[in-house]
Amino acid sequence: MAAPGNEEELTQDQTEKLLQFQDLTGIDSMDQCRRTLEQHHWNIEAAVQDRLNEQEGVPSVFNPPSSRPLQVHTADHRVYSYVVSRPQPRGLLGWSYYLIMLPFRFTYYTLLDIFRFAIRFIRPDPRSRVTDPVGDVVAFVRNFEEQYGRIHPVFYQGTYSQALNDAKRELRYLLVYLHGDDHQDTDEFCRNTMCSPEVVNFINTRMLFWACTTSKPEGYRVSQALRENTYPFLAMIMLKEQRMTVVGRLEGLLQPEDFVNQLTFIMDANATYLVSERLDREERNQTQVLRQQQDEAYLASLRADQEKERKRKEELEKRRKAEEDIRQQILAEERRQRSLQDEKERKSECLPPEPFSEHPDSVKIVFKLPNDTRVERRFLFTESLTVIYDFLFSLKETPEKFQIVANFPRRVLPCLPTEKEPNPPTLQQAGLSRCEVLFVQDLTDD
């Protein structure tokens, strides 16, 4: 197990499953809840079902049922037990028949037990392997209806483990009936007692009813857990002190009225436990609801904080990006200015030397700049207007983009090459006189 500091962080879906699992099971330890969910690959249904099975001591519905006896609490010394013995022989004739048949019955059952014991060494009891528990119950119900009719208590159509789970979840009594096919009292009990309208109505309105024959693996497995002494056998099971407990045992041939009276006595004697369990469950439900509300409020607050943090990071990122854009613009402008300055210096170095004033082709030009400063220089008539433009471009006071305008007549001098005139005219061709005033017009804003 990795240290807590090295555990991977949970996703939002896993966090919600973790909180939901804690609410359903009531486990206080978050680490235990997380380990259980991780063992079940975050399948919350499987994890909750196995947790309930662990608390109840019954096989998991997600795994094949084991062959060991079901773990239902049967050792409580307060279990009510009611056994109906067979009637004793009466009169001389009855005792005579009983004594005559006694050695035959003793021999028959002894030999039968020896035969069954010997058979187990040759072939293991097939009932010890439960492969289709629901099929065993359904088959018993079908056989019961074929033999005794359809007027009977409503049988629970599921496994014994599922019946225990439902009885625990619904806080109801569970009446378990184990059917002994070969017992001499079975037929009379089923026909006269079990199918009695009084008994049918009592069971259907007061409890869950599960039954199976001990000749089937599922019934045999329950028999190993409840350890009946004779048939017919019934056990009353309920949730008592946080576990499913046998609170009453009825054995032998009971008549309908006696049957109902005994069940009523058992239920009345244990009613306080059931009420206590209901109150405890209601308290746990309220605690779970409160915890769920707290968890939902925490998650809502967490999501709000996460949203606030996300917006804060977005704002910081937007601000950082804006600052970066400004910085890049400043750097680009600095690079442009350096490039412009380099270009001005190159143009200045490439200018032809200024002619002397006595030179017959010299032209004196006064330039009026946009900042109202004046610059004077001499050029030759034979030089191109490009020379004038390069001279002005090399000056620091000159704007980055400009054009040269002459008056009388007012015109823009074509100093730069174009497609129509790749070679700008000379000063003489442009019609300039020996002394000129030219205006520098700023085109930077345009």
Side-chain angles (χ1 to χ4, degrees):
M1 179 68 68
N6 297 330
E7 291 182 352
E8 297 181 358
E9 293 186 0
L10 299 179
T11 63
Q12 183 175 354
D13 182 60
Q14 290 175 338
T15 301
E16 293 177 354
K17 287 184 177 181
L18 183 64
L19 296 175
Q20 184 179 2
F21 179 76
Q22 187 184 42
D23 288 340
L24 293 173
T25 59
I27 301 176
D28 294 329
S29 173
M30 275 291 188
D31 292 336
Q32 183 179 353
C33 292
R34 177 170 179 170
R35 285 195 300 270
T36 303
L37 284 170
E38 288 176 345
Q39 290 171 358
H40 292 83
H41 305 289
W42 293 94
N43 185 327
I44 189 169
E45 290 82 5
V48 169
Q49 186 61 55
D50 276 359
R51 175 62 183 176
L52 293 177
N53 289 335
E54 179 182 350
Q55 292 176 343
E56 297 165 7
V58 297
S60 169
V61 297
F62 299 97
N63 299 310
S66 63
S67 59
R68 61 182 176 82
L70 298 171
Q71 297 179 1
V72 177
H73 188 56
T74 60
D76 194 337
H77 66 279
R78 294 168 291 180
V79 174
Y80 175 77
S81 181
Y82 183 78
V83 181
V84 179
S85 303
R86 292 191 59 79
Q88 297 294 329
R90 294 183 179 179
L92 181 61
L93 183 61
W95 278 104
S96 300
Y97 177 78
Y98 175 77
L99 293 175
I100 292 173
M101 295 302 298
L102 181 61
F104 292 99
R105 287 198 299 268
F106 177 78
T107 303
Y108 171 76
Y109 287 112
T110 301
L111 292 176
L112 183 61
D113 290 341
I114 294 174
F115 176 75
R116 290 175 177 173
F117 183 77
I119 287 297
R120 291 179 183 176
F121 283 97
I122 302 174
R123 183 173 64 91
D125 193 340
R127 298 179 300 174
S128 61
R129 297 183 59 186
V130 181
T131 57
D132 185 13
V134 176
D136 294 342
V137 175
V138 172
F140 165 73
V141 174
R142 183 173 58 251
N143 294 335
F144 187 94
E145 291 180 345
E146 291 175 355
Q147 189 170 358
Y148 303 109
R150 302 182 64 86
I151 301 177
H152 57 75
V154 177
F155 292 106
Y156 184 92
Q157 300 282 339
T159 67
Y160 176 62
S161 300
Q162 293 168 342
L164 286 173
N165 286 334
D166 284 352
K168 179 177 182 178
R169 184 178 64 255
E170 300 173 12
L171 288 179
R172 299 180 64 185
Y173 292 100
L174 174 64
L175 182 63
V176 176
Y177 167 61
L178 294 180
H179 185 83
D181 294 331
D182 300 330
H183 197 274
Q184 55 191 347
D185 293 332
T186 295
D187 184 75
E188 181 181 353
F189 176 78
C190 292
R191 194 175 305 277
N192 299 330
T193 302
M194 192 69 69
C195 297
S196 167
E198 180 185 3
V199 172
V200 171
N201 181 67
F202 181 82
I203 293 177
N204 289 345
T205 57
R206 305 289 294 274
M207 63 197 69
L208 295 177
F209 183 57
W210 184 90
C212 191
T213 175
T214 56
S215 62
K216 295 291 186 179
E218 177 71 354
Y220 177 74
R221 190 159 66 104
V222 178
S223 172
Q224 295 297 301
L226 299 182
R227 298 293 182 182
E228 72 280 8
N229 298 312
T230 186
Y231 299 97
F233 173 80
L234 298 104
M236 181 71 85
I237 302 175
M238 62 172 288
L239 183 63
K240 180 179 179 181
E241 298 175 352
Q242 298 297 318
R243 53 184 174 179
M244 298 303 287
T245 306
V246 176
V247 295
R249 299 166 62 95
L250 303 180
E251 300 180 86
L253 180 59
L254 285 84
Q255 299 304 315
E257 183 179 358
D258 192 21
F259 180 82
V260 172
N261 290 337
Q262 294 301 324
L263 290 181
T264 302
F265 177 79
I266 295 172
M267 295 172 65
D268 292 343
N270 294 277
T272 55
Y273 294 105
L274 205 58
V275 171
S276 176
E277 291 293 343
R278 288 196 178 100
L279 293 176
D280 290 344
R281 179 167 296 184
E282 181 65 24
E283 183 179 354
R284 287 197 299 272
N285 290 339
Q286 292 177 356
T287 301
Q288 290 176 359
V289 169
L290 179 60
R291 180 180 298 170
Q292 182 177 1
Q293 293 174 348
Q294 292 174 343
D295 292 338
E296 290 175 354
Y298 169 75
L299 289 176
S301 175
L302 179 62
R303 284 191 289 267
D305 292 341
Q306 291 174 344
E307 181 65 16
K308 188 184 299 182
E309 180 66 15
R310 183 186 66 81
K311 290 182 178 179
R312 188 184 69 83
K313 289 182 178 180
E314 285 183 355
E315 185 65 26
L316 289 177
E317 180 64 20
K318 188 184 299 183
R319 189 182 307 170
R320 187 199 64 78
K321 188 175 181 181
E323 292 175 353
E324 180 64 19
D325 291 342
I326 294 175
R327 191 177 69 85
Q328 291 297 331
Q329 291 175 3
I330 294 174
L331 292 177
E333 179 64 20
E334 291 177 352
R335 288 194 297 268
R336 193 184 66 81
Q337 290 295 335
R338 285 197 299 269
S339 176
L340 180 63
Q341 186 63 32
D342 292 343
E343 181 68 13
K344 286 177 178 290
E345 292 177 358
R346 187 181 67 80
K347 292 289 187 181
S348 178
E349 292 174 356
C350 294
L351 287 174
E354 182 177 3
F356 297 106
S357 59
E358 296 83 5
H359 197 287
D361 291 332
S362 68
V363 178
K364 178 182 178 182
I365 301 178
V366 177
F367 299 97
K368 189 174 182 180
L369 302 180
N371 59 359
D372 292 335
T373 59
R374 292 174 178 269
V375 178
E376 180 181 330
R377 191 183 191 280
R378 288 184 297 276
F379 299 91
L380 296 177
F381 271 121
T382 57
E383 292 176 338
S384 172
L385 291 177
T386 305
V387 176
I388 298 176
Y389 187 90
D390 290 345
F391 167 72
L392 291 173
F393 181 80
S394 65
L395 299 178
K396 293 182 179 180
E397 299 85 355
T398 307
E400 183 177 346
K401 294 181 181 180
F402 62 91
Q403 63 183 10
I404 304 173
V405 180
N407 281 337
F408 309 113
R410 183 177 178 81
R411 63 192 184 280
V412 177
L413 299 180
C415 299
L416 299 177
T418 62
E419 293 183 0
K420 293 182 179 180
E421 296 184 9
N423 297 315
T426 63
L427 276 66
Q428 188 176 8
Q429 292 173 342
L432 298 181
S433 61
R434 288 188 175 275
C435 185
E436 287 282 349
V437 177
L438 300 180
F439 297 88
V440 178
Q441 187 176 0
D442 189 357
L443 300 179
T444 304
D445 294 339
D446 297 339

